[in-house]
């Protein structure tokens, strides 16, 4: 890629550096092309650039000579891929894509009339982008093509707005097309930098060959946070005891239910940054059921009672109480029983003071414990 900027005093096509572009410069280029260095002498890098209007960055060839001829005949234009104001050919950011060129006629004057510039962009992922500057967007087999806006002073520009999809190695072809005073164009008035298979270029032997490439910058980066939570935990527990229903059986089943729940708020450290609203919350829940069988050894048996009390039965014990066989029980006194079991526990039960007699009591109770911890 050869980047040319119109410098003060620069005359495009002036191969012999005499300050004017004319047929002598075309002859000079032809002599250099065939190797007649006796005529051309040693040429400078500036001369090589001026003899290479197709901007291939190579030594001038037959295509360059033809281009100089048709430009001198006012059918083609000289291309400066970096406008004189220093604006780059392509500016690609997350919010805008800007493509600008500057065009000059055979007198090195900015070309503002009878000239059309189109850009073919070889994209497959960003064909749907919208242009705030430029018009006449169409799809091609290579991507999309858009007509540049004449911004004055020979500058032709397009501006596309995001969002963009990440895409690299996107080719750009610059098409310079002119018409005569009657509005008629033709193959000698159209030239692709460097090639496209669009009509009429395909019939002239051209195929897709980008002048340069660039990348679309995405409007927003995808982020996958990596969270390393720091945890501070606290545990609180509560036990709820439910009185058992009376049973005539000397064997009772004691069921203990444990419920565990925890809420873990995490302060996350992530890269890239993760907002607080995305901090994960974890609430594990575990339920454990334990069944224990105990055997009561009563001191006497006369009747069954249905005590209403709160206790924690987990043992085999002996108790005595005064009961009336056909009375309701209003708990207000203490009955103590003792037993020998796998785990030893002292149970306290409240019973009616008006009871007489002795009874065999089988009790079952449910004990629930909830442990909540915060991590």
């Amino acid at each position: 890629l050869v980047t040319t900027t119109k410098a003060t005093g620069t005359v495009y096509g002036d191969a012999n550096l005499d300050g004017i572009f004319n047929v002598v410069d075309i002859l000079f280029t032809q002599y250099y092309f065939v190797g007649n260095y006796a005529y051309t002498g040693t040429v400078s890098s500036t001369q090589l650039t001026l003899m290479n209007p197709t901007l291939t960055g190579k030594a001038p060839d037959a295509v360059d000579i033809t281009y100089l001829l048709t430009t001198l005949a006012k059918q083609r234009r000289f291309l400066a891929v970096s406008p004189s104001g220093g604006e780059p050919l392509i500016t690609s950011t997350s919010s805008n894509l800007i493509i600008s060129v500057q065009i000059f006629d055979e007198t090195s004057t900015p070309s503002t009339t009878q000239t059309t510039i189109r850009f073919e962009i070889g994209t497959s992922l960003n064909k749907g982008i919208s242009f705030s500057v430029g018009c006449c967007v169409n799809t091609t087999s290579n991507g999309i093509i858009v007509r540049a806006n004449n911004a004055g002073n020979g500058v032709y520009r397009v501006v596309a707005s995001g969002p963009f999809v990440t895409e690299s190695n996107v080719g750009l072809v610059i098409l310079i097309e002119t018409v005569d005073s009657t509005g008629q164009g033709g193959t000698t008035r159209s030239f692709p930098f460097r090639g496209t298979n669009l009509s009429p270029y395909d019939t002239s032997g051209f195929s897709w060959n980008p002048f340069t490439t660039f990348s679309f910058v995405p409007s927003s980066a995808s982020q996958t946070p990596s969270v390393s939570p720091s945890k501070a935990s606290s545990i609180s527990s509560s036990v709820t005891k439910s009185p058992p229903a009376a049973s005539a059986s000397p064997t009772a089943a004691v069921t203990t239910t444990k419920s565990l729940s925890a809420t873990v708020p995490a302060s996350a450290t992530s890269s890239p940054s993760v907002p607080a609203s995305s901090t994960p919350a974890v609430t594990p829940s575990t339920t454990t059921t334990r069944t224990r069988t105990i055997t009561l050894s009563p001191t006497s048996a006369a009747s069954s009672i249905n005590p209403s009390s709160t206790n924690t039965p987990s043992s085999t014990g002996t108790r005595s109480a005064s009961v009336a066989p056909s009375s309701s029980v209003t708990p207000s006194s203490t009955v103590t029983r003792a037993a020998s079991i796998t785990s030893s526990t002292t149970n306290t039960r409240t019973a009616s003071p008006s009871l007489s007699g002795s009874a065999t009591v089988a009790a079952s109770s449910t004990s629930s414990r909830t442990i909540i911890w915060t991590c």
Side-chain angles (χ1 to χ4, degrees):
L1 171 63
V2 176
T3 301
T4 59
T5 301
K6 180 66 165 65
T8 302
T10 298
V11 177
Y12 284 101
D14 183 18
N16 62 1
L17 299 180
D18 64 356
I20 188 173
F21 171 52
N22 55 23
V23 69
V24 176
D25 297 296
I26 297 173
L27 289 173
F28 186 95
T29 304
Q30 287 177 320
Y31 281 132
Y32 185 84
F33 173 62
V34 298
N36 188 349
Y37 304 125
Y39 176 83
T40 62
T42 302
V43 299
S44 65
S45 59
T46 299
Q47 287 176 286
L48 288 174
T49 298
L50 294 172
M51 289 189 289
N52 179 221
T54 60
L55 304 182
T56 60
K58 301 177 182 178
D61 56 17
V63 178
D64 291 304
I65 295 170
T66 301
Y67 199 98
L68 290 171
L69 280 169
T70 53
T71 302
L72 185 62
K74 303 182 180 182
Q75 295 180 341
R76 288 178 177 161
R77 304 288 187 266
F78 290 112
L79 169 65
V81 295
S82 181
S84 57
E87 184 176 351
L89 170 63
I90 300 172
T91 301
S92 181
T93 68
S94 61
S95 57
N96 288 303
L97 169 67
I98 304 173
I99 305 175
S100 301
V101 296
Q102 193 169 20
I103 307 300
F104 298 91
D105 64 15
E106 75 284 357
T107 64
S108 293
T109 301
S111 179
T112 58
T113 61
Q114 298 176 229
T115 304
T116 297
I117 306 300
R118 295 191 295 166
F119 299 121
E120 187 176 16
I121 303 171
T123 175
S124 59
L125 302 179
N126 291 275
K127 290 185 176 182
I129 59 176
S130 60
F131 288 85
S132 56
V133 177
C135 70
C136 313
V137 182
N138 289 294
T139 59
T140 69
S141 60
N142 305 307
I144 57 176
I145 189 167
V146 56
R147 180 174 174 174
N149 179 64
N150 185 348
N153 196 35
V155 176
Y156 293 80
R157 179 185 299 117
V158 298
V159 179
S161 302
F164 304 122
V165 177
T166 302
E167 188 176 12
S168 58
N169 198 34
V170 178
L172 173 67
V173 173
I174 305 168
L175 307 177
I176 302 180
E177 300 160 345
T178 67
V179 295
D180 61 19
S181 58
T182 65
Q184 297 298 312
T187 56
T188 59
R189 289 183 171 273
S190 303
F191 192 85
F193 288 81
R194 295 197 164 82
T196 180
N197 53 2
L198 295 177
S199 177
Y201 303 99
D202 55 345
T203 59
S204 300
F206 290 103
S207 59
W208 175 253
N209 183 17
F211 181 73
T212 188
T213 60
F214 67 95
S215 297
F216 276 105
V217 180
S219 297
S220 59
S222 299
Q223 298 181 357
T224 303
S226 176
V227 180
S228 301
S230 60
K231 300 184 294 182
S233 60
S234 63
I235 301 175
S236 63
S237 63
S238 64
V239 178
T240 303
K241 305 174 185 179
S242 302
S247 173
S249 169
T251 302
V254 177
T255 302
T256 301
T257 302
K258 293 182 179 180
S259 176
L260 169 64
S261 64
T263 302
V264 182
S267 60
T269 302
S270 61
S271 179
S273 177
V274 180
S277 59
S278 64
T279 303
V282 182
T283 307
S285 178
T286 305
T287 301
T288 304
T289 302
R290 180 186 301 162
T291 302
R292 180 186 301 150
T293 302
I294 66 172
T295 303
L296 298 179
S297 300
T299 56
S300 62
S303 62
S304 298
I305 63 171
N306 184 11
S308 173
S309 63
T310 301
N311 58 47
T312 310
S314 60
S315 63
T316 301
T318 302
R319 68 178 175 188
S320 63
S322 296
V323 300
S326 61
S327 63
S328 60
V329 179
T330 302
S332 62
S333 65
T334 302
V335 178
T336 305
R337 75 179 169 194
S340 172
I341 58 168
T342 303
S343 62
S344 64
T345 310
T346 300
N347 302 317
T348 302
R349 174 170 303 194
T350 303
S352 172
S354 62
L355 299 180
S356 61
S358 61
T360 299
V361 180
S364 66
S365 66
T366 300
S367 171
S368 298
R369 173 172 298 178
T370 302
I371 298 176
I372 302 175
W373 87 69
T374 301
C375 298

